[in-house]
Amino acid sequence: MGKILVVVGLLIAAVGVTLMLGLPIGRLPGDLVIRRGQTTIYLPLATSLVLSLVLSLVLTWLTRR
């Protein structure tokens, strides 16, 4: 349980640093934005794929130790 908490904390810190540096999380190529009149629909497809890949790798690494 301790390892998981440390890794989750490090991931949260990494996301915080990334946002502070101004890197485009949530605005990757492949994210769709549909604007029609006053309605905006945002579909973060590329962001979802990247987050899924990173989380899968981290969890696989944790379970093999």
Side-chain angles (χ1 to χ4, degrees):
M1 184 70 164
K3 284 184 186 180
I4 293 173
L5 289 175
V6 169
V7 170
V8 168
L10 290 173
L11 286 173
I12 290 172
V15 170
V17 169
T18 303
L19 291 175
M20 286 175 38
L21 293 175
L23 296 176
I25 289 184
R27 295 183 191 148
L28 297 174
D31 291 346
L32 302 176
V33 178
I34 301 170
R35 292 187 179 104
R36 305 254 172 148
Q38 294 183 353
T39 304
T40 302
I41 300 172
Y42 179 69
L43 302 169
L45 297 176
T47 302
S48 298
L49 289 171
V50 169
L51 287 176
S52 175
L53 178 66
V54 169
L55 288 174
S56 294
L57 290 173
V58 168
L59 291 174
T60 300
W61 179 73
L62 282 176
T63 56
R64 292 186 185 240
R65 295 208 161 226

